[in-house]
Amino acid sequence: MFDILAQQLINGLVLGSFYALVALGYTMVFGVVKLLNFAHGDLYMVGAFVGLMAFSFLAPIIGPGWFGVGVSILLSMVAIGFLGVVIERVAYTPMLKAPRLSILITALAVSLVLQNAVLTLTNGQILAFSPKLGFGGVNLGSIFISFKQLVLVGTAAVLMIALELFVSRTQYGRAMRAVSVDKDMCELMGIDVNRVVAVTFFVGSALAGAAGTMAGAYYGSVWYFMGFLIGLKAFTAAVIGGIGSIPGAMLGGLILGLLEAFGTQIPGIGSEWKDVFSFSVLILVLVFKPTGLLGKSEQERM
Amino acid sequence: MRSETGDVVLSLKGVSAGYGRITALHGIDLEVRRGEIVTLLGANGAGKTTTLKTISGLVRAQAGSITFEGEELVGRKASAIARMGVVHVPEGRHVLRGLSVRENLELGGFTVHDSKLRGERLEEVFGLFPILQQRQHQDGSLLSGGEQQMLAIGRAMMHGPRVLLLDEPSMGLAPKLVLETMRIVKQLNERGATILLVEQNARLALKLAKYGYVLETGNIRMEGEASDLAKDTAIVRAYLGG
Amino acid sequence: MSEQLLQLSGVTLGFAGNTVLQGVDFTVEAGRIASLIGPNGAGKTSLFNCITGFYKPQQGAITFDGRAMLPLKPFQVTQAGIARTFQNLRLFRGMSVLENVMSGQHCRTKAGAIAAIFRPASQRREEAKIEQVASECLRFVGVDAADWHREATTLAYGHQRRVEIARALATEPQLLLLDEPAAGLTKSEKEELTALITSIRDERGVAVLLIEHDTGLVMSISEKVSVLDHGVLIAEGTPVEIQNNPKVIEAYLGSEDAEDALAL
Amino acid sequence: MAEDEARSRVWSGLDRWFDTPAKKGAILAVLAAAMIAAPLIFGPYATVILTNALLYAILALGLNIVVGYAGLLDLGYAAFFAVGAYSVGILTVQFGWNFWLTLPVAVAAAALAGIIIGGPTLRLRSDYLAIVTLGFGEIVRIAARNLQITGAASGISGIEQPWLFGWHIAGPLDFYYVFLVLAVIAVIVSVRLAESRLGRAWLYVRHDEDAAEAMGIDRVRVKLAAYIIGAIYGSLGGVFFAVNLTAISPESFSFRQSTLFLMAVILGGMGKIPGVILGAFIVVLAPELLRDLGSFRLLIFAVGLLLIMLFRPSGIWPTRSRS
Amino acid sequence: QGLTVGVQVPTTGSEATYGQDMANAIQIAIDEINAAGGILGKQVSEVVGDDACDPQQATNAATKLASSGVVGIVGGYCSGATVPTLKIYGDAKLPFIITAANSTKLIPANPGNAFMINSTGNDQVAKAMEVFTKRGLKSLAIVNEGDAYSQDLAELTRKAWTDAGNTVAAFETVNKGEQDYSAVVTKIKAANPDGVFWTAYYADGGLLIRQLREAGYQGLIAVGDGSNSPDLFKLAGEAAEGVIGFSNPTAEFLPGAKAFADAYMAKFGNAPGPYAPLSYDGMKLLAWAIDKAGTTDSAAVIEALKGADFKDGLAGPISFNKDNTLARSNFIVLEGKNGTWALAE
Ligand SMILES: Nc1ncnc2c1ncn2[C@@H]1O[C@H](COP(=O)(O)OP(=O)(O)OP(=O)(O)O)[C@@H](O)[C@H]1O
Ligand SMILES: Nc1ncnc2c1ncn2[C@@H]1O[C@H](COP(=O)(O)OP(=O)(O)OP(=O)(O)O)[C@@H](O)[C@H]1O
Ligand SMILES: CC(C)C[C@H](N)C(=O)O
Ligand SMILES: [Mg+2]
Ligand SMILES: [Mg+2]
């Protein structure tokens, strides 16, 4: 029994890393423009396709191993970063003065556009993404952790920590947080708000691109619908952790991953109830901690 | 009208501006010279705030020209204007929620890339406003109204302004603090900042300022040396009172 | 009815290690105007928030008309008869002046969804009453009937202040808390406000507790002035007593010399 | 007076078209005649699509009370729709109840669901409420997918169509008229609520919770009322949806559906009744009108949606312009 | 004045590839029919109704097809989306040839005008029992995807398997498109069943198979007819070697389908998918029934279909049981070999 739980712990951490990476982008964009970017999961999906394209092109030249995948991830990050900025410029910036719900619907529309565009381009095909990363790993007793998993979790952790430092410690990071509160005041302090928003979208989207490519290479398949579910899950994760909070997104992602892994294992009820289990936990968390685990309460002064 | 000494740092010529269909400024002319404190008086809704916003680029001028050190400001983004050294401390403080007092100040120095210089200015601000140092790690928006006003001024100091546009800095402050704030305004001025001051408390403003303008429904109604304005009976009746 | 309408004893409030109010004992008599002054950050607004249930003090008791207020939620406090205005204007955007003021009557009426759908006579009577009370309050504070159907937030600042007061009066309070109502008003508007506050007391018999930095205004209308500094009540008395209290001058008023020092 | 303001807000200026009883009568008569005649003119396919549009209009009006009036973001509205549909499905098919007896149960179940989910969470800020409602919607869908009593993934089929005083409501045309009547009722109720004390309270709370609370308004109670009323709309929509289709399954109550309902509310212009109805019609009719474009149709629909939002960010229906 | 045939398939949504494939195959059949002089001397064309594999969209599509003057409907891929359309075509009295959807839930909902030319889940389960028993399996893990089709197949399997005195070691549901099945894999591995039966589609099945093998699971893996696509091997890679698949007859294993496959390839540039032959057959069957009835009058066509005795199907002869399901089981057993499907011995 202990083995199983230990294995589920690892499963949960791996899955949670993906959730966390995607949740991070959600949270960043939300943190700055207060927009629930429902297209974020689709950026992840497009990221996977771009990563696969890059990989197919690069593998014959630099090999289908770690290096090839690594470079594909970087390329995908850049491409999706720019795609994010384009979307922001075309679809969100013109809406900044509109009611917030309208932007939400715009985001849903962007999500539909991306999904159906890729559907049309790929004819709905599921493409295989098969790098040669070997099957090596470390054995801890009866528990096996593959190098793939280690690298994945490690990369996710590095990206997250770098981002957290960027946002909390640098002037630019402060400016990002400031923009979310009061754009006019930021302008008055000499902050080019449009640029800050663009950078935010770039970084958030690039993370989605990274996650998408990593997921494609890790699980081995890429298709136009792959962003939907993870988009929802990442949104959930971001909220559990406290939306707008970067450590919160990491924590929320990991918790959700673990909840799902262990939820599958609950005796008596099957895996079909695992999402009910995690959503119930989510609701309970919010009932007792209305701003999510690490979210700051936005108490306004009277 | 105006004596011809000192070079003009900020100049408005025929500036009109407004919000949508509402025109709040109808072609005003105004000048601020180097090292001066100039005050802008007027009743509620006269257009004082709009004037400052138009200078700093938050409101787009519909007509006219605004120059700073000879450069045209109309058409520039607010952030670009701020980077030129025209710093606007808006009405209502606009402390950034979710950022600590210290972070608010740090961001005030966003355009200052030399971190040592930023550090020095921070010390300076803390010297002027010890309460801000005490509360530096607290969320800025949780400060009391008066503390927030200090933060707003401190933030502008971090920027190292060449021209400071102050919009009702004494609003909501306790009497003692009103004086304190005015003293600081004067200090900033003495250290070289040119200041355009909008104040409801006309009596104090005219004491501080060298020159003054009176705005009425979007038009300049009167202008002159501050000391002369302070003696004008019409002004005394309308703005100074007992 | 007890003479002391509102009674605070030992109210202590803190946020994350910051003590904001420290054992504040304080009373307001029925039908009187009392004022609360003090430096910025002294805790005046926080005290209002404690009275109205928005903040929960860690210690102390607040009774109003003999009833304990601390267990109540803000809306229940209002129902009990305490109304307030906010330091920053907080009118309902996108709604007319009249609709804004009608909100005050919510807690004095009761028609629910079913009544709204079927509109029995009782519901229509109630609607008429809500509107009539709101109109009467607007007239009382002197908002021109021509403005009643304008969107409230497009009104001039001074008028918005009045609407806020009318809205508070529409809750039919016994005690009205005003948080810096004169801030940002011109001299003549302040004079009108002074008259309004006096008539709220005299004509409606509503007690007023006023936070205000305009000492002239405070001294001219208050029967009692209390001074808060760093969360502690440092002085209490008639306007004359307060104006000459050295502690108050030191902490709050400042000296005339300081003002003169400003002149170049 | 104030009533006029509320009316003008929900009708968004349309009320000026029927300011005199004569005008009002004439316009209503023309509108009614058009709606009654539509299926006879456009044929059976159009009838089914229009019925669907009316259903969406009812649901959007219900969601509009939650989102547009009370300002609560709800991403799981399909859950209430499911509650109604499954109430009928389960009670008539598994327990052999008469259809009309299930109505009160569906209403009660929806109200209960509204309280269960709303009670503990209505204090949350709207973004958090969004995820809670989303989660709740998913819980309901997954439960329906896994429970025996709901027929699991295949759902419930063979739901009997009701009789009303000897009229068997069965054909597409019958249901068109049923939904038309329901939609009219939905509009009337929506308007009357907006013009009431409760309707104003929703707006107060939506604009400024603290100020509303300071005016003596119990925000939780007021929000809960919006939630429950919205739930009842959704549930009743679901009830008639179930008997119209005679078969229901969990896919009809997915997150996607919820977002579609929300789109209907916002696309036309939330809070404005003609806008909400227009939004519902667009959401239903546009993909149908594009049907002949095959696999491109959803792409074009999505792009169209995006363009609408970009050019009319507050919804297609113009905002009232009052003197 | 030609005849039109309604084709109800998903051309958008997650199942769009299959739907497009079916519509293409029907087009090939129509081309052939037209080349041979049409039906009753009239040229035929298809009109596609996209059901997006969604019940509500399906009702809209079906209503449109039903009211557009078609002589009959061919198609039906997703059982979930097909169930609510049965009544619509039933009310319109249109012959409906269901070429792929095969959940047993369709049978009781059929008003009599629908004909299922793909063997149903019952037949598949019977085949599966046969194979599992022959391979000596005692315990089984069953995994489905929570949709009407895969859940139905999973439940039928569970019942048949336990009725036969075996054990179901795990019965799991995963979400479509979830990608990460490690938690379920761990659970299955711990239960260590002799075999795992995946009752849903290849997209997720491929990943599940791979994750099972990577986790070191060594028992038999079997997949249902939703996973009979050759693409399974692209996704699962080597892990799919030895996997057992139950399938309706697909083009590569039908000797008579060579010409069809070539024509398909020539026209659409890719090989026909798993439901192409049945869809082709469905169209041919409808044409045959109309010819037989000598009229497009639907009652007569439905009569002709009831008594069908259609020999020219690529996938074998077609005749129907009393409940309008295919009279014989058409299931074949496949095995993963060298990166593709081969017939299992
Ligand atoms: N955002 C806005 N939208 C529309 N009109 C506005 C806006 N802001 C200000 N106005 C209008 O412009 C005019 C000038 O306003 P402004 O704020 O400049 O006055 P002010 O002199 O600063 O007054 P105060 O002393 O009250 O601050 C007023 O009539 C005001 O109603
Ligand atoms: N919600 C809160 N969280 C943390 N600190 C708070 C909060 N509300 C008030 N404070 C602190 O309590 C102190 C008193 O604030 P309060 O607003 O009561 O002052 P005030 O007397 O009304 O001042 P002013 O005259 O400037 O409005 C301030 O230092 C403020 O930072
Ligand atoms: C594999 C396919 C024949 C199954 C089909 N998608 C159904 O839902 O019945
Ligand atoms: Mg102003
Ligand atoms: Mg205060």
Side-chain angles (χ1 to χ4, degrees), chain A residues 236 239-243 280-293, chain D residues 120-121 123-125 127-133:
Chain A
T236 311
V239 172
I240 291 183
I243 193 153
S280 307
V281 171
L282 164 84
I283 293 175
L284 279 183
V285 166
L286 289 183
V287 167
F288 290 105
K289 185 93 178 37
T291 50
L293 292 174
Chain D
T121 58
R123 267 167 249 264
L124 296 175
R125 250 187 39 204
D127 310 296
Y128 292 88
L129 195 60
I131 184 80
V132 167
T133 51

Side-chain angles (χ1 to χ4, degrees), chain A residues 4 7-8 11 15 44 123-124 126 128 135 218-221 223-224 226 229 233 264-265 271-272 274-275, chain E residues 13-14 16-17 172-173 175-176 178-180 182-184 186-187 190 202-203 207 210-211 214 231 234-235:
Chain A
I4 301 175
Q7 186 63 52
Q8 293 292 25
N11 296 338
L15 181 58
Y44 163 95
N123 245 326
I126 300 172
F135 293 93
Y218 181 79
Y219 296 115
S221 81
W223 72 314
Y224 78 95
M226 69 188 276
L229 208 56
K233 295 290 175 71
T264 305
Q265 205 66 48
S271 46
E272 66 266 35
K274 75 166 201 294
D275 287 345
Chain E
S14 59
T17 1
E172 306 293 330
T173 305
N175 290 322
K176 193 181 198 66
E178 204 163 34
Q179 289 198 317
D180 193 313
S182 56
V184 161
T186 300
K187 197 173 171 187
Y202 75 93
L207 300 189
R210 192 155 101 164
Q211 290 174 30
E214 279 183 11
D231 285 349
K234 286 203 297 192
L235 301 175

Side-chain angles (χ1 to χ4, degrees), chain E residues 20-290:
Chain E
Q20 200 55 57
D21 177 47
M22 291 169 67
N24 290 348
I26 291 167
Q27 187 59 54
I28 300 274
I30 289 176
D31 290 349
E32 287 180 15
I33 292 166
N34 285 341
I39 305 177
L40 301 178
K42 291 182 177 161
Q43 291 288 296
V44 189
S45 58
E46 71 174 347
V47 39
V48 177
D50 172 25
D51 68 19
C53 206
D54 167 80
Q56 213 169 341
Q57 296 247 27
T59 24
N60 292 349
T63 315
K64 176 148 197 201
L65 290 178
S67 62
S68 60
V70 295
V71 294
I73 309 289
V74 182
Y77 173 73
C78 289
S79 299
T82 306
V83 170
T85 66
L86 290 169
K87 179 174 184 302
I88 295 167
Y89 298 132
D91 290 347
K93 312 229 161 30
L94 279 173
F96 179 20
I97 296 175
I98 301 175
T99 56
N102 62 353
S103 161
T104 54
K105 294 287 195 299
L106 287 161
I107 303 170
N110 182 356
N113 59 319
F115 296 86
M116 299 170 67
I117 66 166
N118 190 9
S119 292
T120 63
N122 289 324
D123 293 329
Q124 175 161 206
V125 170
K127 191 60 143 197
M129 290 303 113
E130 194 185 309
V131 173
F132 294 159
T133 317
K134 209 161 77 208
R135 300 253 175 164
L137 269 51
K138 288 278 173 252
S139 64
L140 194 63
I142 304 170
V143 190
N144 73 83
E145 213 169 58
D147 62 319
Y149 151 74
S150 73
Q151 202 188 56
D152 179 49
L153 185 54
E155 291 288 357
L156 291 173
T157 309
R158 165 150 77 178
K159 181 157 189 318
W161 187 246
T162 44
D163 283 354
N166 299 303
T167 55
V168 171
F171 189 87
E172 306 293 330
T173 305
V174 301
N175 290 322
K176 193 181 198 66
E178 204 163 34
Q179 289 198 317
D180 193 313
Y181 304 115
S182 56
V184 161
V185 164
T186 300
K187 197 173 171 187
I188 290 175
K189 230 193 117 204
N192 198 25
D194 302 331
V196 176
F197 187 26
W198 166 252
T199 62
Y201 303 96
Y202 75 93
D204 300 290
L207 300 189
L208 178 73
I209 292 169
R210 192 155 101 164
Q211 290 174 30
L212 274 168
R213 290 298 187 223
E214 279 183 11
Y217 176 72
Q218 280 161 356
L220 179 82
I221 301 179
V223 299
D225 57 347
S227 293
N228 58 4
S229 161
D231 285 349
L232 184 78
F233 295 89
K234 286 203 297 192
L235 301 175
E238 284 166 22
E241 288 298 303
V243 165
I244 295 291
F246 307 106
S247 175
N248 54 286
T250 53
E252 62 265 46
F253 302 113
L254 293 168
K258 175 92 178 61
F260 163 71
D262 292 344
Y264 191 107
M265 190 74 179
K267 183 153 184 160
F268 300 108
N270 56 295
Y275 295 96
L278 285 175
S279 305
Y280 173 92
D281 283 359
M283 181 61 227
K284 284 291 180 79
L285 172 66
L286 180 64
W288 174 90
I290 295 174

Side-chain angles (χ1 to χ4, degrees), chain C residues 96 99 109 119 131 149, chain D residues 1 5 9 195 197 204:
Chain C
S96 71
E99 284 177 309
T109 47
R119 294 195 177 166
E131 210 170 308
H149 298 283
Chain D
M1 296 276 280
E5 268 140 42
R9 183 159 40 232
E195 289 171 1
R197 168 179 174 271
Y204 301 142

Side-chain angles (χ1 to χ4, degrees), chain B residues 49 91 167-168:
Chain B
T49 298
E91 189 176 36
D167 200 350
E168 305 210 19

Side-chain angles (χ1 to χ4, degrees), chain A residues 103-129:
Chain A
I103 315 187
L104 192 80
I105 297 299
T106 310
L108 283 169
V110 170
S111 158
L112 279 179
V113 169
L114 288 177
Q115 233 174 67
N116 285 291
V118 176
L119 165 69
T120 313
L121 287 174
T122 61
N123 245 326
Q125 303 257 349
I126 300 172
L127 305 181
F129 191 151

Side-chain angles (χ1 to χ4, degrees), chain C residues 45 87 179-180:
Chain C
T45 301
Q87 184 163 357
D179 198 349
E180 298 196 27

